[in-house]
Amino acid sequence: MPDRVKEKLLEADRLPDIVPGPDAYRDLPNLIDAVRGTGAKAMNVQLSVEETYADIIPVREVGTHSAFVTIMRGCDNACAFCIVPYTRGRERSRDLASIMYEIRSLSERGIKEVTLLGQNVNSYAGDVTSATTRDFLSQLVGEDVDAVELVANASSAGLAGAQGSAFVGYADGFKSRYDPERKREGTIQFAELLDKVASVDPEMRIRFTSPHPKDFPDDVLRVIRDRPNVSKCLHMPAQSGSTATLERMARGYTREAYIELIDRVRMIIPGCAVTTDIISGFCGETEADHEDTVSLMTRIGYEQAFMFAYSEREGTGAHRHQKDDVPEDVKQRRLQEVIDAFRAKAGEKQRMEIGSTHCVLVEGPSKKNPEELTGKTDTSKWVIFDDAPTGSYAGDARSATTGSHRVSPGDYVAVRVTGCSTGTLFGELLGKTTLTEFQRLHGAQWTTPAEAVAAAR
Ligand code: SF4
């Protein structure tokens, strides 16, 4: 956080020569010129209301099969515990043309998985009129002209009909005190962006992080359901299961609204995995508030959770206006109880996976055993399976295919789950496949074991 620590870094410790803020990367040449050979120090921590780095395409490692694409920056919320709005500035979204260009380029390089990034990724609201494809392409420096033309055509196709639309509102029961709805009128919103990005390459799996639950209205959920290559794993940061604590956190929703949203996710996208973030021991949290969080863990049954004891950050709303009054030992005890509740339910859900078959994107050799491979399911679960020659998967989940294909990182394979621990699935390699082929065979990116179907009845 350069702006918060600038005095300490430059004046007290005198360690760095340059302190650039997150919106000052374009100023790096000037900052370097200012200090070169002078012994001076230079700093630019000015936050921008416009900078998206849309025309700066990152240089990526050759041979990789996954990539991150930033689509927006900043945050217009003001959660009491969070420093992000003060260090990253206001929300601003990258224009659609530059995003489509980058996605298309990644597809042409054979990238199999793209994660869309933003501090509030599903608050995306791109201005369709600020930059046309041609304006954007004219800013690119050093690109091959033919490739630019090729991608221009592809991007133009993706832009067709992208005229912006009326803001459909937040998920039911959610509100934002700091996000004027009118700013989204006539913009490309997240549902439309996600649909266009997913349409570029049906063999490219699309994920996104980090979302805010308020920005999951039904149209976003329907795109996730209808696009087979959009991951069926949603991160839904709850932070607390207590309405009173959520109010003190300024999260903009109640426990009931949050539970209703997750029920809606599971109704519209059956089998969708849900993950979360939880803070234990926030300012003013009572035992009853804590019990509400423990019961939320059981009620929802998360596939993954990132759980922490509250730690006050200087400069946040909570630091200025609330008291960090839960003793450290109480925070730790409550955190452990939340973790225990999460693990009990997550273990159950893992065991219900046994017998299912997943379309898995191969990541590489297992760290513990180089004769095994690891990969990730559509629902973002890690799977370990034997690295063996195999054939082409034809839909028979009862037996492995035989063949001489070697499996490499970036391949899609069908894997039947045969065992599990709390965090990992173990499986049998059934054969190589593709996202579209697996979908054609099974109608989804995984099959559900018969026992789980029976238990759900
Ligand atoms: S927790 Fe997320 S939504 Fe809340 S202020 Fe921080 S970045 Fe914004």
Side-chain angles (χ1 to χ4, degrees), residues 42-253:
M43 175 179 70
N44 180 352
V45 292
Q46 192 81 35
L47 291 174
S48 164
V49 292
E50 291 172 348
E51 182 60 87
T52 61
Y53 299 113
D55 55 325
I56 298 178
I57 305 298
V59 175
R60 292 189 166 89
E61 207 180 317
V62 176
T64 181
H65 60 269
S66 58
F68 294 93
V69 173
T70 300
I71 63 164
M72 60 83 68
R73 302 170 76 84
C75 175
D76 280 357
N77 301 303
C79 303
F81 52 81
C82 182
I83 196 68
V84 164
Y86 308 100
T87 57
R88 296 288 163 153
R90 302 298 302 266
E91 281 177 14
R92 61 273 188 199
S93 296
R94 213 176 134 179
D95 64 274
L96 181 65
S98 75
I99 296 171
M100 294 300 283
Y101 169 87
E102 192 171 353
I103 298 288
R104 188 76 206 182
S105 305
L106 293 170
S107 164
E108 284 168 2
R109 285 180 46 190
I111 295 291
K112 292 293 183 58
E113 182 178 78
V114 164
T115 304
L116 306 177
L117 290 181
Q119 267 92 33
N120 249 307
V121 69
N122 54 341
S123 299
Y124 178 85
D127 185 346
V128 280
T129 57
S130 68
T132 64
T133 308
R134 200 152 291 285
D135 288 341
F136 163 70
L137 292 170
S138 69
Q139 294 167 25
L140 289 175
V141 180
E143 290 283 343
D144 176 77
V145 174
D146 291 342
V148 166
E149 278 306 311
L150 193 73
V151 175
N153 294 336
S155 293
S156 297
L159 289 167
Q163 300 301 321
S165 52
F167 177 52
V168 299
Y170 301 117
D172 285 351
F174 287 71
K175 64 180 191 293
S176 171
R177 284 185 287 170
Y178 301 93
D179 183 11
E181 297 184 6
R182 67 177 177 279
K183 85 172 189 189
R184 300 204 189 182
E185 288 299 326
T187 60
I188 297 281
Q189 289 158 49
F190 188 66
E192 192 176 352
L193 173 82
L194 186 61
D195 193 49
K196 288 188 180 304
V197 165
S199 71
V200 168
D201 182 349
E203 285 302 316
M204 183 191 270
R205 192 177 265 170
I206 308 295
R207 302 186 188 278
F208 54 88
T209 196
S210 181
H212 190 292
K214 78 180 189 317
D215 287 307
F216 279 108
D218 283 2
D219 64 341
V220 173
L221 299 181
R222 282 194 290 267
V223 170
I224 296 167
R225 175 195 64 193
D226 294 343
R227 286 285 181 188
N229 59 332
V230 175
S231 166
K232 306 299 183 272
C233 176
L234 298 186
H235 188 57
M236 291 281 187
Q239 308 300 356
S240 172
S242 151
T243 296
T245 306
L246 290 168
E247 178 68 24
R248 284 193 298 278
M249 289 176 164
R251 288 288 291 174
Y253 52 89

Side-chain angles (χ1 to χ4, degrees), residues 438-454:
F438 197 97
Q439 176 80 18
R440 188 187 69 75
L441 290 167
H442 295 294
Q445 299 302 338
W446 70 89
T447 66
T448 309
E451 306 76 57
V453 173

Side-chain angles (χ1 to χ4, degrees), residues 366-419:
S366 153
K367 286 196 184 95
K368 287 192 184 149
N369 181 355
E371 290 177 3
E372 291 177 332
L373 291 168
T374 61
K376 264 192 169 177
T377 68
D378 186 44
T379 46
S380 264
K381 293 192 175 185
W382 283 102
V383 191
I384 295 179
F385 51 94
D386 278 342
D387 181 6
T390 190
S392 296
Y393 180 65
D396 180 3
R398 289 163 304 179
S399 53
T401 54
T402 52
S404 56
H405 299 312
R406 294 307 311 197
V407 174
S408 307
D411 286 344
Y412 283 108
V413 292
V415 175
R416 184 180 57 234
V417 178
T418 54

Side-chain angles (χ1 to χ4, degrees), residues 349-364:
K349 300 196 88 168
Q350 287 284 87
R351 287 189 289 281
M352 285 172 72
E353 288 275 9
I354 295 173
S356 62
T357 300
H358 285 266
C359 183
V360 171
L361 178 61
V362 179
E363 294 294 333

